[in-house]
């Protein structure tokens, strides 16, 4: 009777099977771990980067979230969430997103003050990740019977800024960010974050609505 080692050595089909198995094991081991969700500290840093272009330290960062000046900040769903206005996608739109054809595409810009268009390769990666994130949100909305409640703002808030709930896709996260200063005053944008070197980084943004 042939030993298992001699059988594998003698059979081309067996050798191919072993080789494919080794490749599969290697690829599985090389897969990147799922990034952790955004923490409160992450959200505060991202908001500071969005508003100031840098993250101040200590009391200076705390003052940014003080409502004494009439500006109120809610980093946990005080306004529209990511893809909130796209959750009612029809089957054709979902198929297009599955195939990589965006339903609506606007240009990503760098997150710095220059706001330059992104490099095509990074823009393509963001677009595909955004499409998959929108599909997740849309399909989750189909299962939700009761829409999420919106927290009321205190009356003292003359300016209201918020982050919607993050939507995650691979190593990216997307946040709908907005502000309102009256019935016909306000704007929103989508923030794109990437998990790099052990932390979440704001890498791009694009306009989503304007009052």
């Amino acid at each position: 009777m042939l030993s298992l080692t001699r059988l594998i050595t003698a059979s081309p089909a067996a050798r191919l099977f072993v080789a494919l198995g080794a490749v599969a094991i290697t690829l599985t081991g090389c897969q990147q771990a799922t990034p952790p969700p955004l923490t409160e500290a992450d959200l505060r840093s991202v908001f500071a980067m969005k508003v100031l272009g840098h993250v101040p330290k200590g009391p200076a960062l705390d003052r940014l979230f003080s409502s004494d000046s009439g500006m109120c900040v809610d980093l946990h769903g005080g306004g529209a969430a990511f893809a909130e206005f796209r959750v009612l996608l029809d089957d054709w739109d979902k198929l297009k997103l599955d195939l990589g054809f965006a339903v609506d595409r606007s240009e990503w810009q760098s997150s710095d003050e220059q706001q330059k268009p992104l490099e095509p390769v990074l823009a393509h990666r963001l677009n595909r990740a955004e499409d998959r994130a929108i599909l997740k949100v849309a399909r989750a909305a189909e299962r939700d019977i009761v829409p999420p409640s919106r927290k009321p703002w205190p009356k003292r808030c003359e300016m209201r800024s918020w982050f919607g709930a993050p939507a995650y896709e691979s190593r990216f996260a997307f946040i709908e960010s907005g502000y309102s200063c009256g019935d016909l005053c306000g704007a929103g944008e989508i923030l794109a974050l990437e998990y790099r070197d052990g932390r979440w980084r704001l890498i791009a943004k694009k306009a989503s609505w304007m009052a």
Side-chain angles (χ1 to χ4, degrees), residues 66-140:
S66 171
S67 59
D68 294 341
S69 63
M71 185 183 85
C72 299
V73 179
D74 187 347
L75 301 179
H76 301 280
F82 171 73
E84 182 173 308
F85 304 110
R86 305 189 196 182
V87 296
L88 299 178
L89 297 174
D90 58 30
D91 291 337
W92 174 240
D93 285 336
K94 292 176 183 176
L95 176 61
K96 287 194 291 185
L97 287 175
D98 267 328
L99 296 175
F101 299 101
V103 176
D104 179 26
R105 184 74 79 212
S106 55
E107 189 174 74
W108 289 104
Q109 297 178 328
S110 62
S111 57
D112 55 23
E113 294 181 358
Q114 296 179 342
Q115 298 186 10
K116 295 180 179 179
L118 290 188
E119 302 234 347
V121 173
L122 178 56
H124 176 74
R125 289 176 61 207
L126 280 180
N127 287 334
R128 290 298 294 128
E130 182 191 17
D131 290 347
R132 290 190 292 266
I134 290 173
L135 276 174
K136 286 182 179 179
V137 172
R139 286 165 177 161

Side-chain angles (χ1 to χ4, degrees), residues 74 76-81 84 144-153 162-165:
D74 187 347
H76 301 280
E84 182 173 308
D144 291 339
I145 300 175
V146 179
S149 58
R150 192 66 49 77
K151 293 179 289 186
W153 291 92
W162 68 84
F163 278 178

Side-chain angles (χ1 to χ4, degrees), residues 5-203:
T5 303
R6 292 181 61 189
L7 179 61
I8 292 175
T9 304
S11 171
R15 289 200 301 270
L16 177 61
F17 178 79
V18 172
L20 291 176
V23 171
I25 292 173
T26 301
L27 291 177
T28 301
C30 291
Q31 286 181 348
Q32 294 176 324
T34 302
L38 287 149
T39 64
E40 179 73 17
D42 292 329
L43 293 173
R44 287 165 63 92
S45 296
V46 171
F47 185 81
M49 283 295 300
K50 165 184 152 51
V51 175
L52 304 176
H54 68 280
V55 182
K57 302 294 184 181
L61 180 60
D62 294 333
R63 283 195 296 271
L64 184 62
F65 298 93
S66 171
S67 59
D68 294 341
S69 63
M71 185 183 85
C72 299
V73 179
D74 187 347
L75 301 179
H76 301 280
F82 171 73
E84 182 173 308
F85 304 110
R86 305 189 196 182
V87 296
L88 299 178
L89 297 174
D90 58 30
D91 291 337
W92 174 240
D93 285 336
K94 292 176 183 176
L95 176 61
K96 287 194 291 185
L97 287 175
D98 267 328
L99 296 175
F101 299 101
V103 176
D104 179 26
R105 184 74 79 212
S106 55
E107 189 174 74
W108 289 104
Q109 297 178 328
S110 62
S111 57
D112 55 23
E113 294 181 358
Q114 296 179 342
Q115 298 186 10
K116 295 180 179 179
L118 290 188
E119 302 234 347
V121 173
L122 178 56
H124 176 74
R125 289 176 61 207
L126 280 180
N127 287 334
R128 290 298 294 128
E130 182 191 17
D131 290 347
R132 290 190 292 266
I134 290 173
L135 276 174
K136 286 182 179 179
V137 172
R139 286 165 177 161
E142 294 172 353
R143 302 189 296 269
D144 291 339
I145 300 175
V146 179
S149 58
R150 192 66 49 77
K151 293 179 289 186
W153 291 92
K155 293 183 179 180
R156 68 177 184 278
C157 301
E158 300 176 4
M159 171 81 76
R160 302 177 294 277
S161 297
W162 68 84
F163 278 178
Y168 299 95
E169 173 55 39
S170 183
R171 301 185 68 77
F172 295 104
F174 299 93
I175 298 176
E176 179 81 34
S177 171
Y179 75 89
S180 174
C181 46
D183 293 337
L184 296 176
C185 175
E189 58 188 0
I190 296 174
L191 308 179
L193 289 72
E194 185 176 11
Y195 193 73
R196 296 181 189 166
D197 302 325
R199 68 185 182 92
W200 287 101
R201 301 171 184 268
L202 177 62
I203 60 171

